[in-house]
Amino acid sequence: MNNFIFENKTKVFFGKGCVQEYLGCLTKKYQTIMLAYGGGSIKKNGIYDEIVTILTARNKKVVEFSGIMSNPTYAKVMQGAELVRKEHVDMILAVGGGSVMDCCKAISLATRYEGDVWNDFWTHKGVIDFDVLPLGVIVTVTGTGSEMNGGAVITNEELKIKTGRDYPACNPMFALLDPAYTFTVPKKQVVSGGFDILSHIMETYFGELNENNVSDDLSVALMKNVIKNLKIAIEDPFDYNARSNLMWDATMAENRIIKLGKQTDFEVHQMEHQLGAYTNCNHGEGLAVLHPTYYRHIYQYGLSKFKQFAVEVWQISEEGKSDEQIALEGIDALEKFIHEIGLPSSLKQLGLQEDIDLKKIADSCNIIPTSYKPMTHEEIYEIFKECWK
C-alpha cells in the first residue's frame, strides 16, 4: 500500500433515536444555532419539529436557513455566510442530504474568511489556517457520504463550474445518523443516492494499487452490500436493516478509509459535475448514464482489476473465457443493474435537450491523472456522444 496519514475528527452517533438522545448535549455550549435544510420535506415528515423542540427546550436561539438546492450554488453559500454574520451564529446544524451538508461546510469556511472564497478555496486548493465555524449534521438522505468528511461540491453558476474540495478542517464535529429518518425519501432519490454510493466505491476501487490490499477488499464488501440492500430498500422502503446498511455504506465510502494507500479515479464524477453545472441534472442519474461507457473506454488498461470486479462483485464465471471477456461481462452486469433499479441509461433519458453543447461541456471537464487511461477532452466528448441515446 502507498504511504498515508489518516485523521477523521467527526464523531458519529448511529441508530434509531440518536437525535432525541444526543442532540441536546452536543449543542450544549452553543447559544445561536443556524438550522439549515433544503426544500422543506423535514417539515412534512416531523423531523423539523423534533429538532426544533429539542433546541428550544434548551433555550437555543434558532436561525433558519432553508431552500438549499440539490446542486448548491456559490451564491447560496455566500447568502448563508451573510446570515451567520448578521445573526451572530455560533454553530451550524445541517439537516438533510449531501447538498445541505456540502453547502454548510462551505458556509462554515466562508463566514470565517475575509478574502475571495471561491478563488482561494475552490478554484485552487487552499490552506485553512484558521478555525471554521462549528458544524454538526443530521443525515436524512443517504448517498454522498458527506457526513464524515470535509468535502463540499459547489456550483458557480456564473462561471458554469461545479467542483468539490475536501478540507479536513471542514469535517463536521458530529454526525447523527438515524436510518429511520430515510424512510420517507422518494424512490427516485433512494435509487440515485444508492447509485452515488456505489459510484464512490467503484471510483476508489478502480485505481492503483492493483495487488491485493485491505482497501480494495473493503471496497468489494461494500459494493456487494450496496447492491443487495438497495434492491431490498426499493422493494420495501421501511426495511430498517437495508436502510441502516445503506446509510453506513455511504459513510464508509467517503470517510477516507477505503482510499488509504490508494490512487483513485473520479473522472466520471468530474464529467457529471460539469453536466450538472450546465443542466442541473440529477447527480446519481448522471453517474449511472456515464459509468458503463467510461469503463468500456478504460477497462483494457486496468484489465486485472476489471476482471476481479466481475468475478468478486458480480459473480461472473471465469470458465472458458478470456480476461477481456470476463471484464466486459462485469461491465455488462453493472449496466444491467442500472436498468434493473430504474435509472436512466442515456443523456436523452436524463432530460438533456437536443441543442446542448456537449463539446463545450466536455472541454470544461477536469482531467484526473490517476485514471488507468487519463482522458483527453476529445475522448470525453466521444463518451458524451456515445451516451446520448
Side-chain angles (χ1 to χ4, degrees):
M1 297 181 73
N2 297 326
N3 294 3
F4 62 81
I5 298 172
F6 177 67
E7 177 184 4
N8 196 310
K9 72 175 185 180
T10 304
K11 188 169 185 176
V12 174
F13 299 80
F14 187 100
K16 194 177 294 184
C18 63
V19 174
Q20 190 70 41
E21 186 171 357
Y22 297 113
L23 181 60
C25 63
L26 290 170
T27 56
K28 185 176 181 179
K29 64 180 182 179
Y30 304 102
Q31 182 54 43
T32 303
I33 297 173
M34 185 170 85
L35 177 60
Y37 55 95
S41 61
I42 63 169
K43 289 191 173 181
K44 298 175 185 176
N45 57 26
I47 294 173
Y48 171 89
D49 289 338
E50 181 178 356
I51 292 168
V52 170
T53 298
I54 292 169
L55 296 177
T56 54
R58 289 158 178 79
N59 299 314
K60 306 298 181 185
K61 178 184 176 183
V62 178
V63 177
E64 292 196 30
F65 183 63
S66 62
I68 297 174
M69 57 289 287
S70 57
N71 289 308
T73 65
Y74 181 54
K76 191 68 175 177
V77 170
M78 299 314 290
Q79 181 187 343
E82 183 180 353
L83 181 63
V84 165
R85 295 187 184 107
K86 177 184 175 183
E87 297 290 343
H88 305 290
V89 169
D90 49 15
M91 179 195 166
I92 303 171
L93 182 62
V95 183
S99 300
V100 173
M101 290 184 275
D102 285 15
C103 187
C104 289
K105 290 175 195 174
I107 292 170
S108 74
L109 187 160
T111 195
R112 294 282 178 87
Y113 187 70
E114 297 298 326
D116 185 331
V117 178
W118 179 263
N119 187 63
D120 294 347
F121 294 101
W122 266 263
T123 299
H124 308 286
K125 180 74 172 177
V127 176
I128 301 178
D129 55 2
F130 53 90
D131 291 330
V132 302
L133 191 68
L135 167 68
V137 302
I138 299 174
V139 180
T140 64
V141 182
T142 295
T144 67
S146 191
E147 57 271 8
M148 205 176 175
N149 63 44
V153 178
I154 305 298
T155 299
N156 190 314
E157 291 184 300
E158 183 179 339
L159 300 177
K160 295 291 184 185
I161 296 173
K162 180 179 177 181
T163 191
R165 298 288 183 184
D166 184 357
Y167 294 107
C170 290
N171 265 56
M173 299 181 301
F174 64 82
L176 292 160
L177 279 64
D178 185 340
Y181 276 17
T182 68
F183 284 164
T184 58
V185 174
K187 179 180 176 180
K188 176 180 177 178
Q189 218 167 346
V190 172
V191 175
S192 61
F195 192 81
D196 193 21
I197 303 170
L198 184 62
S199 176
H200 291 156
I201 305 167
M202 291 190 299
E203 289 180 286
T204 301
Y205 177 77
F206 287 118
E208 301 285 358
L209 303 168
N210 284 326
E211 294 78 12
N212 288 338
N213 61 79
V214 67
S215 293
D216 282 347
D217 288 348
L218 287 171
S219 289
V220 167
L222 288 169
M223 285 187 281
K224 292 169 71 174
N225 194 274
V226 171
I227 293 162
K228 174 184 175 181
N229 285 288
L230 183 53
K231 290 179 182 179
I232 296 171
I234 291 169
E235 290 299 317
D236 180 4
F238 297 98
D239 188 304
Y240 182 83
N241 188 53
R243 293 291 195 155
S244 60
N245 274 287
L246 288 171
M247 182 168 262
W248 191 239
D249 286 332
T251 306
M252 280 293 292
E254 282 295 327
N255 63 6
R256 307 189 186 100
I257 286 177
I258 64 172
K259 296 178 181 178
L260 298 177
K262 291 274 301 175
Q263 291 182 354
T264 63
D265 174 14
F266 277 73
E267 188 61 61
V268 173
H269 260 71
Q270 302 304 313
M271 293 157 63
E272 197 289 323
H273 282 170
Q274 285 310 103
L275 284 173
Y278 279 83
T279 70
N280 200 35
C281 61
N282 178 284
H283 178 58
E285 291 184 348
L287 294 171
V289 169
L290 295 171
H291 262 293
T293 302
Y294 174 73
Y295 285 155
R296 291 188 181 105
H297 274 248
I298 71 165
Y299 79 95
Q300 290 176 313
Y301 299 86
L303 189 56
S304 65
K305 185 62 72 66
F306 276 94
K307 175 187 175 183
Q308 184 176 312
F309 174 69
V311 173
E312 295 189 1
V313 177
W314 301 106
Q315 287 78 55
I316 301 298
S317 171
E318 299 179 67
E319 189 174 351
K321 301 170 187 173
S322 68
D323 288 357
E324 185 168 334
Q325 286 175 313
I326 296 166
L328 284 171
E329 285 191 32
I331 299 170
D332 290 344
L334 171 64
E335 191 167 52
K336 182 180 177 182
F337 174 70
I338 289 168
H339 294 161
E340 181 184 347
I341 61 177
L343 287 169
S345 57
S346 72
L347 293 178
K348 195 170 184 178
Q349 290 179 9
L350 190 60
L352 272 62
Q353 301 301 308
E354 295 276 356
D355 61 352
I356 190 76
D357 191 343
L358 293 176
K359 181 68 166 64
K360 185 176 182 180
I361 298 174
D363 287 343
S364 73
C365 291
N366 186 34
I367 302 296
I368 299 295
T370 51
S371 169
Y372 289 132
K373 180 183 185 293
M375 291 286 101
T376 63
H377 290 114
E378 187 59 39
E379 189 165 9
I380 291 173
Y381 179 45
E382 290 301 318
I383 290 171
F384 283 166
K385 287 192 294 183
E386 289 172 35
C387 288
W388 178 252
K389 59 183 178 180

